[in-house]
Amino acid sequence: MKYFSIRLYRKMIDCAIAEGIPKDEFEKLPTPMSKISELEVIDAEEFLALHELLEKRLDSGFSVRVGQKMLIEDYGVLGLSWRTCTKVGEIFERSERYFKLLSNTFVWQIKNDGDISHVVLNREAHRRGMELSTEASLSATVVVLQAISEKDLHPVQVSFKHKQAKDLTSHKEAFKCPII
């Protein structure tokens, strides 16, 4: 089974509520809010369907805004392991080894090229929800790197394999770099 951590699902719901969707609407989901505390993971297809639903209901860039709201604590044990990193690059080493605690739907790959590291999120985007989840993941990566380094780090460029959103306002605010 492909899965995501229930923590990520909960974060998405909390952000949607903060952006104006009534809390009671999330009781109608296949995994309602009232059942979240009983779970550790959620089926990937259900998680991706929620991304798709929220994209339709909220302003463009919701997935990127969710990523920006992520805290180290939202990652559980993996987040705790990041706190012990002495170099930013160690975050990716630990992520490569332990990201299965959050999801088994993708693989991080780091390619070093001199002073620039290329962070590649390899996943098959078989549906729109996966594309949105990728955007959220990359947005959250920026937040994690900033938290660990205690610096205002930003990528030099962000690109996606999928079609760009019509409104890139949230992307530009999150990444502060060219989006191609």
Side-chain angles (χ1 to χ4, degrees):
M1 171 180 105
K2 296 288 186 182
Y3 63 85
F4 282 87
S5 167
I6 199 70
R7 292 170 178 258
L8 302 177
Y9 183 77
R10 176 64 192 235
K11 189 66 158 200
M12 201 172 6
I13 290 173
D14 289 344
C15 289
I17 292 168
E19 289 197 17
I21 295 183
K23 187 176 184 176
D24 64 332
E25 288 194 29
F26 294 103
E27 285 302 317
K28 300 171 188 171
L29 296 174
T31 300
M33 282 187 65
S34 58
K35 299 291 183 187
I36 288 175
S37 62
E38 301 169 16
L39 303 171
E40 292 293 322
V41 297
I42 189 158
D43 180 76
E45 294 303 313
E46 188 175 340
F47 179 85
L48 300 174
L50 181 59
H51 261 297
E52 293 162 358
L53 172 73
L54 295 176
E55 178 188 40
K56 291 175 186 166
R57 298 276 316 271
L58 297 166
D59 293 336
S60 180
F62 175 74
S63 59
V64 172
R65 294 191 302 279
V66 169
Q68 291 292 287
K69 300 286 185 192
M70 294 298 293
L71 304 171
I72 299 273
E73 294 75 25
D74 293 328
Y75 296 96
V77 175
L78 180 58
L80 289 174
S81 78
W82 288 336
R83 289 221 182 264
T84 63
C85 293
T86 56
K87 296 179 185 174
V88 171
E90 289 178 50
I91 294 167
F92 295 110
E93 292 170 13
R94 293 191 185 169
S95 293
E96 283 180 304
R97 283 183 287 190
Y98 301 111
F99 213 80
K100 297 267 190 260
L101 296 171
L102 294 180
S103 180
N104 64 350
T105 63
F106 56 94
V107 176
W108 289 96
Q109 188 178 30
I110 309 304
K111 299 176 184 176
N112 293 312
D113 185 14
D115 290 341
I116 295 180
S117 295
H118 300 270
V119 179
V120 180
L121 182 55
N122 291 313
R123 60 177 17 167
E124 183 183 325
H126 64 286
R127 61 186 288 179
R128 178 68 179 146
M130 188 64 86
E131 294 170 353
L132 296 167
S133 178
T134 297
E135 291 182 8
S137 296
L138 290 176
S139 176
T141 299
V142 172
V143 173
V144 169
L145 292 175
Q146 290 172 343
I148 297 298
S149 70
E150 297 180 347
K151 295 181 181 174
D152 193 23
L153 296 176
H154 292 281
V156 294
Q157 174 184 308
V158 173
S159 61
F160 300 101
K161 290 181 180 179
H162 60 271
K163 184 179 171 185
Q164 272 190 9
K166 291 178 184 175
D167 180 358
L168 292 175
T169 303
S170 294
H171 295 73
K172 289 176 181 175
E173 289 174 11
F175 298 118
K176 295 182 174 48
C177 70
I179 299 156
I180 55 171

